[in-house]
Amino acid sequence: MTQKSVIEQNKKNYAISLSRVLGMVFIVLCHIVQYYSFIPGHSILGQFFNCAVYLFIFVSGYLYGTKNISDFKNWFAKRWIVVSMPAIILSVGVIAVLLFIGETVSVNSAIAYCIDAEGLLFISGNIFGNLFDAIPSIDMLCFTTVIMICYLMIPLLQKISQRINADFFRRFIVLSVLIGFAVSLLLDKYISLEYFVLFAFGYYLGRIKWLDSINLQVFLICTVVVVILLISRVVLQRYYDNTFIYLQFVAWSHQFVGVWFVIAFSFASKKHYALVQKIAESYIIKLMDKYSYYVYISHGIFCMGTFNVYEKMSSLFLATAVFVVGTLVLSLMLKKTTDFLSNLMMKK
């Protein structure tokens, strides 16, 4: 690999690292900003910050689109350890505490969360809603099921990409997204497919390493589109709030907003590589990136459901302090436990 290729690869990695950190921050803000009444628009800002879910899905698809996976079974097992096992450990612990303090948790719900199937409610409440109920304190774990299903798509996505002529690949991406969008709209009443369409979109863009080619023109066009989408959402909310048109617009526009942040970091990395590298390599950013997933799945316990400190404490300052400390401590404990169990499994 040439020195230039190595530099380009590092740029991509730095942009994605910063995207993950931003996504983690956005997810946390999405769930707590509603309690900070002194912030203008606090009641609706959470709807903007939840674009981070789509950011994570796009980044995951893009990353694995840049790779060829030959031993999928072994790779998937490792991804299960990284993604599902922490969610299961957390679920077991939280359900045990809920039962200990006298809360009611159905057997079906306990089983669903303890096998990392809770996200099926996220995909289709109509289909799976009769099988089990969500557990509010760990409802944020829905994402882990979705991303694991996305990983199951990779062998098919990889096989398809290998059979498409390189000269037609970009047109294939556009056609695939349009078809996926149309099918998702048709079936939206029964099942949410937009997560899988976005993952596939990210995967195929990763195959052509599209983020490496972001220039000023592309960045400006994408930025203008994001501004138009955000303004359109405000207008649609005023006149068509809670209608099918508005809800679909929110779901799909949010995807583009989430992807835009990855585009922005990629463009910044290309134009100001040294600065982006310095930021991404700083101790605090590397630490945040290392624990971003654990913070993502842990923080909801302290701001949702039974253990919501913001609803149990009259002091916003104290609630925030408990939230921050609790999230950090639980994230650290969860990572240490996951590492310990995964090392035991690897030795067998």
Side-chain angles (χ1 to χ4, degrees), residues 214-270:
I214 298 295
N215 54 34
L216 179 61
Q217 182 181 13
V218 172
F219 172 70
L220 290 177
I221 291 174
C222 292
T223 302
V224 170
V225 171
V226 165
V227 172
I228 293 174
L229 290 175
L230 293 176
I231 294 175
S232 298
R233 176 172 178 179
V234 174
V235 174
L236 286 173
Q237 185 180 39
R238 180 174 182 180
Y239 297 102
Y240 300 98
D241 194 18
N242 289 324
T243 63
F244 178 80
I245 293 175
Y246 175 73
L247 294 176
Q248 287 299 316
F249 182 84
V250 168
W252 290 95
S253 63
H254 255 37
Q255 294 192 36
F256 195 89
V257 174
V259 172
W260 179 83
F261 285 104
V262 186
I263 293 172
F265 279 127
S266 297
F267 177 70
S269 181
K270 189 172 184 179

Side-chain angles (χ1 to χ4, degrees), residues 65-285:
T66 63
K67 305 173 182 178
N68 283 310
I69 300 173
S70 55
D71 186 356
F72 178 77
K73 183 178 179 180
N74 184 53
W75 174 85
F76 187 81
K78 291 180 179 179
R79 296 314 301 166
W80 183 89
I81 291 175
V82 171
V83 177
S84 290
M85 193 163 74
I88 292 172
I89 294 170
L90 188 63
S91 294
V92 171
V94 171
I95 291 171
V97 173
L98 288 173
L99 292 175
F100 179 77
I101 64 175
E103 293 287 334
T104 300
V105 178
S106 71
V107 174
N108 286 356
S109 295
I111 293 173
Y113 276 82
C114 291
I115 62 171
D116 195 23
E118 65 282 344
L120 294 177
L121 291 176
F122 205 51
I123 298 170
S124 178
N126 289 328
I127 297 175
F128 302 104
N130 294 324
L131 299 179
F132 63 95
D133 299 315
I135 302 175
S137 297
I138 43 177
D139 195 35
M140 64 284 174
L141 296 180
C142 288
F143 169 79
T144 63
T145 309
V146 172
I147 200 65
M148 290 305 293
I149 295 175
C150 286
Y151 290 155
L152 289 174
M153 298 165 52
I154 288 181
L156 177 61
L157 296 176
Q158 183 170 286
K159 192 171 184 178
I160 292 174
S161 67
Q162 291 170 346
R163 295 192 175 188
I164 302 297
N165 189 296
D167 296 333
F168 300 98
F169 202 79
R170 289 178 181 268
R171 277 174 279 182
F172 165 75
I173 294 175
V174 174
L175 181 61
S176 298
V177 170
L178 290 176
I179 293 175
F181 174 73
V183 173
S184 182
L185 283 180
L186 289 173
L187 299 179
D188 184 73
K189 183 178 179 180
Y190 310 100
I191 186 170
S192 297
L193 297 176
E194 64 264 25
Y195 316 109
F196 310 112
V197 175
L198 179 61
F199 183 85
F201 179 57
Y203 180 88
Y204 285 129
L205 288 182
R207 299 303 284 182
I208 60 175
K209 298 186 178 180
W210 182 73
L211 291 177
D212 292 346
S213 62
I214 298 295
N215 54 34
L216 179 61
Q217 182 181 13
V218 172
F219 172 70
L220 290 177
I221 291 174
C222 292
T223 302
V224 170
V225 171
V226 165
V227 172
I228 293 174
L229 290 175
L230 293 176
I231 294 175
S232 298
R233 176 172 178 179
V234 174
V235 174
L236 286 173
Q237 185 180 39
R238 180 174 182 180
Y239 297 102
Y240 300 98
D241 194 18
N242 289 324
T243 63
F244 178 80
I245 293 175
Y246 175 73
L247 294 176
Q248 287 299 316
F249 182 84
V250 168
W252 290 95
S253 63
H254 255 37
Q255 294 192 36
F256 195 89
V257 174
V259 172
W260 179 83
F261 285 104
V262 186
I263 293 172
F265 279 127
S266 297
F267 177 70
S269 181
K270 189 172 184 179
K271 299 297 291 185
H272 305 286
Y273 171 68
L275 176 61
V276 171
Q277 181 187 33
K278 183 177 180 179
I279 295 173
E281 289 289 347
S282 65
Y283 175 79
I284 185 64
I285 295 299

Side-chain angles (χ1 to χ4, degrees), residues 17-77:
S17 294
L18 292 177
S19 297
R20 280 197 298 257
V21 171
L22 180 71
M24 180 264 290
V25 172
F26 271 20
I27 285 293
V28 173
L29 291 176
C30 168
H31 292 138
I32 67 173
V33 72
Q34 60 181 311
Y35 299 109
Y36 296 85
S37 56
F38 61 88
I39 300 177
H42 69 283
S43 60
I44 60 173
L45 279 176
Q47 297 181 37
F48 168 77
F49 290 128
N50 68 8
C51 68
V53 171
Y54 299 111
L55 181 156
F56 279 127
I57 291 175
F58 174 80
V59 164
S60 293
Y62 189 91
L63 276 174
Y64 292 112
T66 63
K67 305 173 182 178
N68 283 310
I69 300 173
S70 55
D71 186 356
F72 178 77
K73 183 178 179 180
N74 184 53
W75 174 85
F76 187 81

